[in-house]
Amino acid sequence: MQKFKSPKDCMYTFPIQFGVFIVLAGVMLLLQVNPLYLSIFLILPILMIYLEVTGSLTEINFSPKYDSQNIIVFDELKKENPTIIISGHYDTQKGSLLFAPSFQKYIQTYFNLSYLSFALIIISVVVSNFIVSSTIYILNTIGIVLSSLSIIFLIYSNAIGRYINGANDNGTGTCLTMALAKHFKNGEFGVYNDVNFIFLLTGCEEVGSKGMKAFLREYKDKLDKSNTYFIVIDNIGSGNITYLEGEGMIVFKEYNKQLKHIANELKDSYDIQKFKNLLLPTDSLPVLNQRFNTISFLGKDKYGNMENYHWHTDTIDKIEKEHMDYCERFFIDYINLLIKEVII
């Protein structure tokens, strides 16, 4: 068991933090404060955003931190051996207005407008160092208004939100990780005498992959980056088995091509589809940041939707045993094919 400290509800509190800094800079620009000073001030929120969206192990977050933990299981770890890490996060998210089913079709637009409004303020401040124009102040004012509305919405959503059951997200990934550990113990992964297997249950994925980052801080130097393969299982309990091509809402990073190729090879046996990425990151983002090989699997319908996503209807009665058995067989075949084609 690996203990670590983490803030909570970062889906809400983190954008509020950097958003307040950016809005403050915009207001100060309207009050004729020297834009050079404001530009220097804006380095802090910009750095906060950059570190978060790239999955960096270095973070700037001013929220209080609380106890959390990862569960890490392995027999023996030899750096000279190839390593397969099977991971699922066990924490859940708040169900709030942000993830209400009626709001789902607008969530991409909401995030786009929020980041655009923050960008308007930042650009206005920086450009004001060189140009004095009423247009700049108009754009800055629009940015302040939109950013303030976005922050108020997040504050309200966080205040009224309640933690959901999380049977699919991510009780299913947790259960499959434990089931695969049992299959490993029973010798069902072919020839693996010279392969390290690590089974990892992470905490605090929903607040910025804090558990995976804690794992990487401790184990990244104990693993061979070129010969370590992460398989991240998340939200797999409904829809088609789906693998992503990469991570990043702002900065896109591609997954390992061999891991994606192996998933594609199983198309004849399983109903598999692929999508480029998610709006929000998975635990693969910090893994990519540290230049390890990784791939994330989820369950999506043909339109890319995840059932009961971050909502109070994400309960165990929505999970079908037949589907979980199907996913379990898929991952056994996937891991055996990985060992056969890439590792051995």
Side-chain angles (χ1 to χ4, degrees), residues 57-264:
L57 302 189
T58 301
E59 300 177 294
I60 303 174
N61 193 310
F62 299 102
S63 296
K65 293 185 177 181
Y66 304 88
D67 292 331
S68 188
Q69 59 196 23
N70 291 328
I71 300 171
I72 307 167
V73 178
F74 56 86
D75 282 341
E76 190 176 9
L77 193 60
K78 296 180 180 179
K79 188 171 183 179
E80 66 271 16
N81 289 348
T83 302
I84 296 175
I85 300 175
I86 302 165
S87 176
H89 74 87
Y90 64 83
D91 62 313
T92 187
Q93 179 61 275
K94 275 185 175 180
S96 72
L97 288 177
L98 182 61
F99 296 109
S102 59
F103 191 69
Q104 284 302 292
K105 60 183 177 181
Y106 304 113
I107 192 168
Q108 178 76 63
T109 302
Y110 166 75
F111 278 106
N112 290 341
L113 284 175
S114 295
Y115 279 100
L116 175 61
S117 63
F118 294 140
L120 283 176
I121 298 173
I122 294 170
I123 292 170
S124 297
V125 169
V126 173
V127 172
S128 293
N129 286 284
F130 311 100
I131 302 172
V132 177
S133 168
S134 59
T135 302
I136 294 174
Y137 284 91
I138 292 171
L139 292 176
N140 180 47
T141 302
I142 293 171
I144 291 171
V145 172
L146 292 177
S147 297
S148 299
L149 291 173
S150 174
I151 291 170
I152 292 169
F153 177 73
L154 284 177
I155 292 172
Y156 181 70
S157 295
N158 188 40
I160 67 168
R162 296 294 178 267
Y163 294 109
I164 64 172
N165 182 279
N168 186 27
D169 186 13
N170 187 34
T172 56
T174 300
C175 290
L176 278 172
T177 300
M178 293 190 291
L180 293 170
K182 183 178 179 180
H183 290 297
F184 166 76
K185 184 179 179 181
N186 293 338
E188 297 178 40
F189 291 143
V191 180
Y192 58 81
N193 293 333
D194 295 325
V195 179
N196 300 318
F197 270 81
I198 299 176
F199 298 91
L200 170 64
L201 300 180
T202 59
C204 296
E205 186 268 355
E206 298 286 5
V207 298
S209 295
K210 301 297 188 288
M212 182 60 81
K213 290 178 181 179
F215 172 81
L216 290 168
R217 289 188 189 102
E218 181 172 343
Y219 286 90
K220 61 184 175 67
D221 295 328
K222 301 175 184 178
L223 302 167
D224 180 357
K225 292 186 177 182
S226 64
N227 213 11
T228 297
Y229 304 89
F230 283 77
I231 301 170
V232 177
I233 308 172
D234 193 351
N235 251 306
I236 202 76
S238 63
N240 298 328
I241 297 174
T242 305
Y243 68 91
L244 302 179
E245 296 191 79
E247 295 277 341
M249 182 173 68
I250 298 176
V251 180
F252 181 76
K253 295 185 178 183
E254 187 178 4
Y255 290 161
N256 177 265
K257 286 183 171 58
Q258 288 177 305
L259 293 177
K260 292 189 291 183
H261 175 72
I262 292 170
N264 196 57

